[in-house]
Amino acid sequence: QVHLAESGGGSVQAGGSLRLSCAASGDTGCRYDMSWYRQAPGKEREFVSGIRVGGSTRVADSVKGRFTISQDNAKNTVFLQMNSLKPEDTAMYYCKIDVAYGGFWCPSNAWGQGTQVTVSS
């Protein structure tokens, strides 16, 4: 069973930066297309950015030019570099396995527990 562990959240002032990490563990021989989502209090969970095993990326318009997603395929780890943070970026950030490759035992659509990001003005 795969386990997704997010880290790197915290509290920063507007204009600051944070780097989130999400490591997938507990699998064997699996590779993943992964994404970051976020959910602010009282709002629906929304897509932030995604990356495929091959390296292609997608990013939401609301964070384009400020957030960058990257990955370490060897470690099944995905990163989200967040610069020029704004108060409206405050949310719980979740990583997600979108698509799994490598075998029937590799899980798709798995979510992490989340890491809190708080940006103060």
Side-chain angles (χ1 to χ4, degrees):
Q1 184 175 356
V2 70
H3 175 66
L4 297 175
E6 299 111 327
S7 61
S11 297
V12 296
Q13 290 190 330
S17 298
L18 286 172
R19 187 181 192 230
L20 306 184
S21 299
C22 175
S25 61
D27 52 0
T28 301
C30 301
R31 294 290 181 264
Y32 306 110
D33 295 343
M34 298 179 72
S35 294
W36 286 97
Y37 285 73
R38 67 185 182 185
Q39 187 167 20
K43 295 188 176 181
E44 293 187 354
R45 192 171 296 188
E46 64 175 1
F47 171 80
V48 176
S49 188
I51 188 165
R52 294 187 174 182
V53 170
S56 62
T57 62
R58 299 173 297 142
V59 61
D61 289 342
S62 58
V63 304
K64 193 169 293 183
R66 299 188 298 121
F67 291 11
T68 303
I69 192 169
S70 60
Q71 65 186 356
D72 182 338
N73 278 334
K75 297 181 179 179
N76 270 344
T77 300
V78 63
F79 307 97
L80 186 68
Q81 178 66 44
M82 306 186 296
N83 299 327
S84 302
L85 282 161
K86 304 176 181 180
E88 51 263 44
D89 294 319
T90 295
M92 185 71 78
Y93 283 71
Y94 300 88
C95 70
K96 175 181 178 285
I97 293 174
D98 295 322
V99 180
Y101 306 93
F104 64 90
W105 60 90
C106 301
S108 295
N109 297 314
W111 291 87
Q113 294 299 308
T115 184
Q116 179 67 39
V117 171
T118 302
V119 184
S120 58
S121 57

